[in-house]
Amino acid sequence: MFEFIRTHQRLMQIFLAIIIVPSFAFVGIGSYKSFGDDAGTIAKIDGKPLTQLEFDNAVRTRLDEYRQRLGAQFDQKMFDTPEFKQNVLDQLIAQRAIAAEVIHSNLNVTDAQLQKTIIDQFGGPGNFNKETYIQVLAAQGMKPTDYDARLRRDLALQQLAVAIEGTGFAPRSVARSLSDIAAQEREVQELLLPVADFVPQVKVTDEMVKAFYDKNARQFEVPEQARIEYVVFNNDAVLSQVNVTDAEVSDYYTKNTAQFTTPETRRASHILIALKKGASAADTVAAKAKAEAIVAELRKNPGDFAKVAKAKSEDPGSAEQGGDLGVIEKGLLVAPVENAINKLKQGEISDAVQSEFGFHVLTVTELKPAVVKPLDAVKADVADLLKKQKASKKYSEMAETFTNTVYEQSDSLKPVADKLGLKIETAANVSRNPSPAAGAAPYNNAKFLAALFSNDSLTSKRNTEAVETAPSTLVAGRIVEFKPATKRPLAEVDAQIRQRVTIEEAAKLAVKAGEEKLAAFKKSGDATGFGAAKLVSRSKPEGINGLAMQSIMKADTTKLPAYVGVDVPGVGYGLYRIAKVQQPAQVDEAQRKQEAEQIGNLIAQQEMAQYVELLKQKAKVKVLKPITSTTVTEVK
């Protein structure tokens, strides 16, 4: 009963992780957009085209995602590879194949399911606010209709995942064996040959220094550097020149009162006398009489509503809560019930109300009337909103002025700074590649730096063009002073190189000595020189280097003692004697259970990936154009 009030859906996280890439533009279920004939088609899925334009958009979106994630570390060339483009294509094809299966399987999501999910995601019953919902989506560049379509698609995909969810499990014997391997303990002794012990044996010659210098020339380069001036034009610059009057604020408030109104809320309870669909007239009369008797009883003692609901309500979902339905959201209940609740005063008992579920006795337990915030309370917010609206309209005009001025008066940034009230900033030691040290500085942008270090800018010292470095952000600059790349002289780095070569040669001697000792120990089985025995495991290395631990735990222990030698960079050469292999005295069953779940999860992911591949075959995917010939377009 009352499934429309309390419904729960489990997210199929593994399924969605494999097939959904949120950053991609996903054509809605049930329709594929076509932008041309086969000449512009890369692939066909279920007979529908995947166009070059759609692929290009997906690539740009993915690149933009990486650009935002990596910041100054982003390098366009890293992604101009066949592997990157093929990955994008594979994701798009998988999405289309799954969408086709959803259509063929006639999987639908009702409006009630959609609304319930949205309410749960944005505060839950009683806390959902439509204005907040719209604002949150707007901040992400989405409209409610766009989000509804995406959510409806995801819910349909979840239905598809139900059919194969939970099939991934690990046999108990396999899970236990893997747990035993993870928990295995080994008794180990360590003999470390530090690099420092071999330093006195190293003799570095001038020839060795020169050879290192020539071989590693890039390490001694001083990169080209520039001292620059730049100006930034953005929304803040526009806002600083926009004013809003009190009259404008008052006028907006008067015309948009609904925006500042907290709507009325009603919390209600009900008692249900259930009636099956197709019930006879006699059963209907009996159910109604029973409900009317409850109405008469409660109108005499309204305070007993919760007690009566627990005793007589036939809705198992709410009876135990005294009939509480929570705060009522529009459209959440069936129409007769919702309409009746909206007509009641707080504490009033309704007549018997019939719905498809039976007869309801209703009451409003809490009623909060609509409240309008006074102008003084929202004045600052309204003024800020109006300023942004004005700035938005003025931005294009000022941006055009900025772009034209830096170009037409290209020998200085002062004209554009004076005209638009901007500040000329300076920066030193700027190179043509973004610097992590400069962080989010406006000039530390690959597109701007490319313009700054162009041949025209370097030779003429003229202004760069206006470069968009972020949404609604233009930057123009000029080089004031330039120093080309140079190489530090050998004499300047001689001591540094000698130290490097000394350590490298000492490390080689440590490895040589260690390998000789390792061979001797394997023959003799001796423990001379080794330290005290330690009981180690993968989770408890007991101070042993991580690289050495990997070799210790992988070592063949069919014959003991076993010996392992490991070159540990920057430390020396480590020798390890394994004398004993055992399982821990106490087994952590909770840990075993967690590991079994992790193994099952991995198996489920593999099975889900295989299922997606089967859907591709079912959709008869045909790749018509090789991706390797496509150029990844720079994100604008």
Side-chain angles (χ1 to χ4, degrees):
M1 303 292 177
F2 259 44
E3 292 86 352
F4 56 93
I5 297 174
R6 299 283 183 254
T7 60
H8 299 278
Q9 297 168 317
R10 294 205 299 138
L11 295 177
M12 313 309 173
Q13 294 176 340
I14 296 172
F15 183 76
L16 297 178
I18 291 175
I19 63 163
I20 295 177
V21 182
S23 61
F24 284 170
F26 189 93
V27 177
I29 291 173
S31 65
Y32 292 94
K33 295 180 180 179
S34 176
F35 295 92
D37 55 18
D38 284 358
T41 299
I42 291 178
K44 284 192 174 182
I45 306 97
D46 198 38
K48 311 297 192 304
L50 171 62
T51 67
Q52 179 72 49
L53 178 59
E54 290 170 314
F55 172 75
D56 289 345
N57 288 338
V59 169
R60 292 191 188 97
T61 303
R62 178 74 76 88
L63 286 174
D64 190 47
E65 183 179 282
Y66 278 112
R67 181 188 295 280
Q68 294 179 18
R69 185 187 306 170
L70 299 176
Q73 302 296 320
F74 178 82
D75 182 357
Q76 176 83 27
K77 295 178 182 177
M78 293 169 54
F79 302 95
D80 196 4
T81 64
E83 293 79 13
F84 173 76
K85 290 178 279 188
Q86 188 63 47
N87 177 260
V88 174
L89 178 61
D90 291 343
Q91 291 283 359
L92 288 173
I93 289 174
Q95 290 172 350
R96 295 295 178 81
I98 294 160
E101 181 64 15
V102 169
I103 295 169
H104 296 321
S105 300
N106 296 315
L107 298 178
N108 296 307
V109 176
T110 66
D111 292 341
Q113 285 178 295
L114 183 68
Q115 185 179 44
K116 176 64 169 58
T117 303
I118 291 173
I119 289 173
D120 287 344
Q121 290 180 349
F122 289 86
N127 297 310
F128 179 80
N129 183 287
K130 187 175 181 180
E131 292 301 325
T132 301
Y133 167 66
I134 294 173
Q135 291 172 9
V136 170
L137 295 184
Q140 301 176 39
M142 297 177 65
K143 297 178 181 178
T145 51
D146 299 330
Y147 183 75
D148 290 356
R150 176 182 292 184
L151 184 59
R152 196 183 292 274
R153 177 204 73 197
D154 291 349
L155 292 174
L157 292 174
Q158 289 172 29
Q159 293 180 33
L160 186 62
V162 169
I164 52 175
E165 185 206 19
T167 58
F169 70 95
R172 190 173 299 175
S173 59
V174 174
R176 183 169 291 275
S177 296
L178 291 173
S179 292
D180 287 343
I181 292 172
Q184 187 185 85
E185 297 174 338
R186 297 190 171 194
E187 186 181 277
V188 177
Q189 293 171 273
E190 182 180 45
L191 172 58
L192 186 64
L193 305 180
V195 171
D197 291 354
F198 295 88
V199 168
Q201 302 178 34
V202 177
K203 302 297 180 185
V204 179
T205 65
D206 292 343
E207 289 74 15
M208 294 168 69
V209 172
K210 181 67 165 58
F212 187 94
Y213 179 76
D214 293 339
K215 184 179 179 181
N216 301 278
R218 283 194 172 185
Q219 295 185 22
F220 309 107
E221 284 185 353
V222 178
E224 59 185 356
Q225 295 180 347
R227 182 165 60 86
I228 71 168
E229 294 178 343
Y230 66 96
V231 287
V232 179
F233 174 75
N234 53 24
N235 282 325
D236 290 339
V238 183
L239 283 170
S240 66
Q241 300 186 36
V242 173
N243 294 310
V244 175
T245 66
D246 289 344
E248 289 174 317
V249 171
S250 179
D251 181 61
Y252 183 89
Y253 175 82
T254 302
K255 293 178 178 177
N256 298 274
T257 308
Q259 292 185 20
F260 312 106
T261 301
T262 302
E264 174 189 272
T265 60
R266 291 170 177 255
R267 189 181 189 97
S269 295
H270 87 134
I271 296 171
L272 174 67
I273 303 303
L275 193 63
K276 294 181 179 179
K277 289 184 177 180
S280 66
D283 288 342
T284 302
V285 170
K288 183 177 181 181
K290 189 175 180 180
E292 288 176 341
I294 293 174
V295 170
E297 177 185 354
L298 289 175
R299 283 179 175 169
K300 293 178 182 178
N301 298 290
D304 290 345
F305 195 98
K307 183 172 67 175
V308 174
K310 288 183 179 181
K312 299 183 179 181
S313 180
E314 296 172 4
D315 174 22
S318 66
E320 287 301 314
Q321 285 73 45
D324 183 34
L325 298 176
V327 176
I328 306 305
E329 299 290 343
K330 185 176 181 179
L332 193 61
L333 307 180
V334 289
V337 174
E338 183 176 312
N339 292 337
I341 289 173
N342 287 332
K343 294 176 182 178
L344 292 173
K345 298 177 182 177
Q346 183 170 338
E348 184 180 2
I349 306 299
S350 73
D351 293 331
V353 177
Q354 186 174 5
S355 79
E356 60 192 270
F357 297 95
F359 288 91
H360 308 261
V361 180
L362 304 158
T363 188
V364 173
T365 56
E366 184 182 71
L367 194 159
K368 295 181 179 179
V371 177
V372 181
K373 293 180 181 179
L375 175 59
D376 288 344
V378 298
K379 187 174 182 179
D381 292 336
V382 173
D384 184 58
L385 174 65
L386 293 177
K387 285 188 69 173
K388 288 179 178 178
Q389 289 179 350
K390 283 188 175 184
S392 178
K393 294 178 180 178
K394 194 172 183 179
Y395 178 86
S396 297
E397 175 188 336
M398 293 181 66
E400 184 176 359
T401 299
F402 179 86
T403 300
N404 292 340
T405 305
V406 296
Y407 175 75
E408 293 168 357
Q409 302 185 53
S410 60
D411 57 346
S412 172
L413 294 173
K414 191 173 185 302
V416 73
D418 291 344
K419 184 176 293 186
L420 299 179
L422 305 176
K423 181 182 178 181
I424 298 177
E425 304 282 357
T426 61
N429 301 322
V430 178
S431 62
R432 68 176 64 228
N433 294 313
S435 166
Y443 65 84
N444 198 38
N445 173 275
K447 289 168 65 177
F448 173 70
L449 292 174
L452 189 68
F453 283 86
S454 65
N455 289 334
D456 184 57
S457 177
L458 282 173
T459 56
S460 66
K461 300 289 193 299
R462 292 184 178 278
N463 299 340
T464 67
E465 62 181 350
V467 178
E468 186 176 25
T469 59
S472 300
T473 302
L474 299 175
V475 180
R478 60 189 300 271
I479 292 177
V480 178
E481 182 181 349
F482 176 72
K483 294 180 180 179
T486 58
K487 186 177 179 180
R488 297 173 66 185
L490 176 58
E492 187 178 315
V493 295
D494 181 85
Q496 175 186 339
I497 293 176
R498 286 182 186 277
Q499 184 178 13
R500 286 277 302 277
V501 173
T502 298
I503 296 300
E504 288 182 4
E505 294 300 315
K508 292 177 184 177
L509 293 175
V511 170
K512 181 180 178 182
E515 290 175 344
E516 290 173 354
K517 285 182 176 290
L518 179 64
F521 283 133
K522 285 182 176 180
K523 287 182 180 180
S524 66
D526 193 9
T528 304
F530 284 91
K534 298 180 180 180
L535 201 60
V536 303
S537 68
R538 286 175 171 82
S539 61
K540 297 179 180 179
E542 301 297 337
I544 294 179
N545 177 274
L547 191 62
M549 275 299 301
Q550 293 180 27
S551 297
I552 290 169
M553 300 310 295
K554 290 191 296 184
D556 182 2
T557 56
T558 53
K559 182 180 178 182
L560 296 174
Y563 294 88
V564 174
V566 183
D567 179 15
V568 184
V571 178
Y573 194 86
L575 294 156
Y576 300 90
R577 184 176 187 268
I578 305 169
K580 188 188 298 183
V581 178
Q582 64 185 41
Q583 291 301 123
Q586 293 184 340
V587 177
D588 188 341
E589 291 299 336
Q591 180 68 21
R592 282 188 184 276
K593 183 178 179 181
Q594 182 180 4
E595 289 169 350
E597 290 176 353
Q598 292 172 346
I599 295 166
N601 188 49
L602 290 173
I603 294 173
Q605 289 186 41
Q606 293 175 350
E607 291 186 354
M608 199 69 74
Q610 292 171 0
Y611 176 64
V612 172
E613 289 303 314
L614 287 174
L615 293 184
K616 289 182 182 178
Q617 295 177 22
K618 187 175 179 180
K620 298 180 180 180
V621 174
K622 293 181 180 179
V623 178
L624 305 178
K625 183 179 179 182
I627 291 299
T628 53
S629 62
T630 303
T631 301
V632 178
T633 307
E634 173 71 26
V635 178
K636 299 297 182 182

